[in-house]
Amino acid sequence: MTRHGRQGSLKAGASSAEPQAVLQTTSRVRAAPVAASRWLVAVFGGWSLIGSMLLFWVELMVAKMLLPRFGGSASVWNTALVFFQVNLLLGYLAAHYLARLDSRRHKVIQAALAALPLLALPIVLPPSGSAAANPAMAVVLALTVMVGAPFFVLSTASPTLQAWFAKSGAPRANDPYFLYG
């Protein structure tokens, strides 16, 4: 028995530090995937957080831009809220159905979707029209022209990142909902 409690003898010239070196190398090899997993969680979680923050900032910023044109009534805020919630739901549905595609097609379509809002830049108020007939429809039209596409694409970001993380093979990839915690 050696001093480490294992049977066997040390070869001539071998020191007792070699088994410790093998142990340290093994622990470094195990630590590498854990570090990569932490990095992966930080990247996916960070981008998901940024996407979510941008969603809510855009919502507030654009609704405030509409107030001078349509007045500060509650109907403007309510119409904007309904528009953004419907757009958010449509973005989540699109992300859900895109996640069912194979990985390559999903990435190509997501890249094309990400380029779509570039057509809507810069975000400015559309020319004023007759809002007296139906102000709610005028608000919805203004929101669609201003931020419809960018908000839709931004709303696909978190569910898409979550689906990609689930397919990553990371240790906690089977339950990616912890990214929101």
Side-chain angles (χ1 to χ4, degrees), residues 41-105:
V41 167
V43 168
F44 278 96
W47 280 110
S48 184
L49 176 69
I50 289 170
S52 299
M53 286 185 344
L54 284 174
L55 274 175
F56 294 110
W57 283 343
V58 165
E59 190 175 329
L60 292 173
M61 204 169 45
V62 171
K64 269 184 96 170
M65 287 173 68
L66 291 178
L67 286 178
R69 171 140 332 142
F70 296 101
S73 68
S75 65
V76 175
W77 285 106
N78 290 338
T79 305
L81 178 68
V82 169
F83 170 82
F84 285 118
Q85 290 301 310
V86 168
N87 206 343
L88 182 70
L89 180 63
L90 291 174
Y92 283 179
L93 283 173
H96 172 74
Y97 286 112
L98 286 174
R100 293 180 174 195
L101 299 175
D102 64 278
S103 187
R104 185 175 176 271
R105 283 188 8 189

Side-chain angles (χ1 to χ4, degrees), residues 124-138:
V124 293
L125 283 170
S128 63
S130 162
N134 193 347
M137 286 309 294

